[in-house]
């Protein structure tokens, strides 16, 4: 990592042309990825990515530069070139790294870099064998293993100097099933912010069989009928619906510019009384967690909506200036090549009081969405669409036949108001989010919830 004296020299150079804030983000990242198809290695890669990003503010203006040449002369030179975009009056500066930040501790025991490659291959083979032998209908199994050790140093002219070590591991299992010439897939991707001891805490085989069950069920399913109906979304990664439909519209990157349906609405009732929406990057060992955010702020629990009332946004440092509101430890980036902006960590609907059985039993006719596979949203309007990788009809208060090809279409503002039952079985799933500051690890979760009416897209077989 860089010495404090070199960082001070960068800061003095950065502010010499009138910048009023400077920050460095230094990263040393080790990662492994193994892709297997049919139990055989298709691609294996281990690598190291090392570099630094330098960011400078002048009021609401921001410039960002990055490099993997950490020589002092180069760092000073690119800083000088970056400040040419500002050209303000010189500011006096005193740099004291006296703002103590203690990262949230996410313990790990087995560093992935200390685990032999053959052991990692064994994990993938266990998943492959469990999925492939689940049923003769299973035609293909793809298993990807990945791990990461990301060491970061973040320092800024507000006195922050903090290091954080992020150790992650995850397995992605994709299973294909063929029935009557139709191929459907099932997918599951368990992961955590911890070392490879994670695989001692879960059953790889159970996860693989679940992906296989999903694929088989959908291969043999009829097509989903279209129409407006109540929709029950299961717990866990069903929370992706609210991540996409509402979460992005609560990020300061859109709120600060007035591009969100929720801009300037703090204190307003925007959702059902049953809805409390939280973003929390401090959940111990959770996939979307961090010790500090990528701007050096200790992660925290942010209540966005409380019993239907909009309480706050996810705010990064630059947008906190635009909004005149405090940052919320929501500044994130994929790596040193990206300037940070406001992004989600672990976002979830909090527990309610109903049971899953109550919710199903109180739904005469509707759709049960077990797994959501993907979605998109326009933050300016709140309009979204999601595809379901596993769904069932609900008839007379019971889950009946599986249906495939289902999509959910709606508006985030409206579904928040249309949630009329919330379960007590909160679970958070693991995923990725792609936006302006790159691809990020995120958690999305909820208990089982019911939306009283949604537009369901489908087709008759």
């Amino acid at each position: 990592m860089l010495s404090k004296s070199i960082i001070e020299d960068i800061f003095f150079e950065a502010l010499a042309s009138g910048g009023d804030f400077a920050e460095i983000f230094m990263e040393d990242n080790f990662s492994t990825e193994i892709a297997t198809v049919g139990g055989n290695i298709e691609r294996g890669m281990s690598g190291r990515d090392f570099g630094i990003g330098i960011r400078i503010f002048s009021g609401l203006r921001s410039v960002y530069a990055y490099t993997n040449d950490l020589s002092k002369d180069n760092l000073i030179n690119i800083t000088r070139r970056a400040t040419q975009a500002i050209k303000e009056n010189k500011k006096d500066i005193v740099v004291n790294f006296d703002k103590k930040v203690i990262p949230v501790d996410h313990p790990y025991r087995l560093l992935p870099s200390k685990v032999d490659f053959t052991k990692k291959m064994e994990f993938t083979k266990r998943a492959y064998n469990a999925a492939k032998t689940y049923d003769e209908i299973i035609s293909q199994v793809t298993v990807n293993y990945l791990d990461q050790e990301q060491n970061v140093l973040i320092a800024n002219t507000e006195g922050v100097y903090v290091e954080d070590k992020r150790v992650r591991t995850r397995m992605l299992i994709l299973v294909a099933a063929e029935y009557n010439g139709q191929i459907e897939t099932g997918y599951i991707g368990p992961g955590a912010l911890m070392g490879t001891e994670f695989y001692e805490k879960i059953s790889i085989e159970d996860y693989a069989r679940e992906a296989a069950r999903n694929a088989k069920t959908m291969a043999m399913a009829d097509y989903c009928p279209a129409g407006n109906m109540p929709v029950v979304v299961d717990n866990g990664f069903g929370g992706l619906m609210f991540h996409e439909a509402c979460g992005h519209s609560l990020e300061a990157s859109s709120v600060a510019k007035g591009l969100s349906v929720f801009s300037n609405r703090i204190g307003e009732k925007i959702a059902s009384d049953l809805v409390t929406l939280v973003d929390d990057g401090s959940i111990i060992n959770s996939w979307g967690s961090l010790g500090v955010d990528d701007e050096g702020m200790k992660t925290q629990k942010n209540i966005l909506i409380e019993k239907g009332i909009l309480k706050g946004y996810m705010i990064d440092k630059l947008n906190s200036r635009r909004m005149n509101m405090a940052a919320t430890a929501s500044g994130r980036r994929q790596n040193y090549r990206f300037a940070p902006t406001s992004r989600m960590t672990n976002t979830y609907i909090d527990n309610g009081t109903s049971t899953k059985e109550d919710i199903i039993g109180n739904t005469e006719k509707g759709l049960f969405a077990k797994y959501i596979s993907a979605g998109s949203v326009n933050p300016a309007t709140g309009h979204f669409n999601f595809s379901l990788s596993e769904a069932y009809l609900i008839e007379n208060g019971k889950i009946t036949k599986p249906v495939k090809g289902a999509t959910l279409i709606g508006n985030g503002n409206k579904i928040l108001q249309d949630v009329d039952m919330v379960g007590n079985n909160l679970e958070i799933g693991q995923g990725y989010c792609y936006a302006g500051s790159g691809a990020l690890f995120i958690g999305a979760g909820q208990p089982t919830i019911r939306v009283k009416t949604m537009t369901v897209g489908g087709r008759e077989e």
Side-chain angles (χ1 to χ4, degrees):
M1 292 298 179
L2 286 181
S3 69
K4 288 184 178 180
S5 64
I6 293 179
I7 296 173
E8 289 173 355
D9 289 340
I10 293 171
F11 289 166
F12 279 116
E13 183 64 42
L15 275 62
S17 296
D20 56 52
F21 170 85
E23 164 200 86
I24 66 106
F25 177 89
M26 185 175 174
E27 175 184 17
D28 194 6
N29 185 34
F30 302 85
S31 62
T32 298
E33 181 178 350
I34 305 170
T36 69
V37 178
N40 300 312
I41 296 179
E42 185 177 71
R43 183 179 69 257
M45 180 180 69
S46 292
R48 181 184 185 186
D49 196 13
F50 185 79
I52 185 172
I54 301 170
R55 187 167 59 149
I56 307 160
F57 292 170
S58 179
L60 298 181
R61 300 171 66 192
S62 173
V63 293
Y64 189 73
Y66 64 87
T67 180
N68 56 16
D69 177 356
L70 270 65
S71 66
K72 179 178 176 179
D73 287 346
N74 180 62
L75 294 174
I76 298 301
N77 182 50
I78 67 167
T79 303
R80 183 178 299 120
R81 291 167 59 190
T83 58
Q84 290 175 3
I86 295 177
K87 296 182 180 178
E88 301 289 347
N89 294 325
K90 181 177 180 179
K91 302 289 193 308
D92 292 329
I93 177 175
V94 176
V95 178
N96 293 306
F97 297 116
D98 56 1
K99 187 175 181 179
K100 190 171 185 179
V101 179
I102 301 175
V104 175
D105 183 31
H106 300 280
Y108 57 87
R109 181 167 55 83
L110 296 174
L111 276 175
S113 60
K114 305 298 183 183
V115 176
D116 192 77
F117 188 86
T118 56
K119 182 66 174 178
K120 298 174 183 180
M121 270 302 301
E122 180 188 323
F123 296 148
T124 69
K125 289 178 179 178
R126 286 169 54 190
Y128 168 79
N129 289 333
K132 192 67 175 71
T133 58
Y134 177 79
D135 192 279
E136 62 182 12
I137 198 174
I138 303 303
S139 58
Q140 186 64 276
V141 179
T142 299
V143 182
N144 290 357
Y145 166 95
L146 62 90
D147 61 46
Q148 181 189 76
E149 298 173 29
Q150 184 192 34
N151 302 286
V152 302
L153 165 64
I154 304 164
N156 64 38
T157 50
E158 293 177 348
V160 168
Y161 182 97
V162 62
E163 296 180 67
D164 193 20
K165 188 178 188 72
R166 294 100 177 248
V167 180
R168 284 187 173 86
T169 187
R170 193 180 186 203
M171 181 173 290
L172 311 174
I173 306 169
L174 180 67
V175 181
E178 184 173 0
Y179 181 73
N180 286 344
Q182 295 288 316
I183 298 176
E184 297 291 332
T185 58
Y187 167 83
I188 201 161
L193 182 66
M194 64 171 64
T196 52
E197 71 273 12
F198 173 65
Y199 297 107
E200 300 172 4
K201 300 177 181 294
I202 68 166
S203 169
I204 292 174
E205 287 78 9
D206 284 351
Y207 274 102
R209 284 188 284 265
E210 174 63 9
R213 183 207 58 76
N214 177 195
K216 177 184 176 181
T217 301
M218 289 298 96
M220 303 178 73
D222 294 329
Y223 284 98
C224 180
N228 294 318
M229 63 189 77
V231 174
V232 177
V233 184
D234 206 5
N235 66 334
F237 206 57
L240 179 66
M241 183 170 73
F242 290 95
H243 167 102
E244 292 287 354
C246 313
H248 284 298
S249 298
L250 293 171
E251 292 171 334
S253 52
S254 58
V255 173
K257 300 170 186 174
L259 300 178
S260 167
V261 292
F262 300 120
S263 294
N264 302 311
R265 296 183 64 185
I266 295 290
E268 289 187 28
K269 182 174 174 58
I270 64 168
S272 159
D273 293 342
L274 301 175
V275 173
T276 292
L277 181 67
V278 177
D279 186 81
D280 188 352
S282 66
I283 301 173
I284 303 302
N285 293 128
S286 190
W287 178 246
S289 291
L290 304 159
V292 295
D293 77 344
D294 291 329
E295 297 179 317
M297 184 175 178
K298 184 176 181 177
T299 50
Q300 62 188 37
K301 180 179 181 178
N302 296 308
I303 297 177
L304 306 173
I305 301 171
E306 185 173 31
K307 296 181 179 178
I309 305 298
L310 180 59
K311 292 292 187 178
Y313 305 113
M314 290 164 283
I315 307 173
D316 61 285
K317 190 173 288 292
L318 179 60
N319 283 303
S320 75
R321 293 185 170 208
R322 293 189 174 114
M323 301 168 67
N324 196 28
M325 298 176 70
T328 59
S330 302
R332 299 194 65 190
R333 63 183 107 197
Q334 179 178 330
N335 54 46
Y336 72 91
R337 297 178 181 85
F338 293 82
T341 192
S342 52
R343 301 285 297 275
M344 285 172 272
T345 55
N346 303 295
T347 312
Y348 60 90
I349 298 288
D350 210 353
N351 271 322
T353 58
S354 299
T355 66
K356 179 177 178 178
E357 292 73 22
D358 288 338
I359 295 173
I360 299 297
N362 280 278
T363 305
E364 182 177 349
K365 184 178 181 180
L367 185 74
F368 177 68
K370 184 170 179 60
Y371 289 134
I372 293 177
S373 59
S376 62
V377 64
N378 181 340
T381 64
H383 294 310
F384 65 78
N385 64 81
F386 300 98
S387 58
L388 304 183
S389 57
E390 185 172 353
Y392 299 80
L393 296 183
I394 300 175
E395 299 171 296
N396 299 317
K398 294 182 179 180
I399 295 174
T400 57
K401 69 174 186 176
V403 289
K404 61 188 174 185
T407 59
L408 302 179
I409 304 164
N411 180 275
N413 198 16
K414 187 175 187 303
I415 67 162
L416 283 172
Q417 300 172 39
D418 285 348
V419 172
D420 63 356
M421 295 189 80
V422 178
N424 58 4
N425 57 344
L426 171 65
E427 184 178 313
I428 298 176
Q430 299 79 41
Y432 294 95
C433 180
Y434 302 87
S437 61
L440 298 179
F441 309 113
I442 59 94
Q446 63 175 46
T448 304
I449 62 100
R450 185 176 73 179
V451 181
K452 63 184 179 183
T453 183
M454 289 187 73
T455 299
V456 175
R459 68 183 176 96
E460 298 297 335
E461 192 170 13

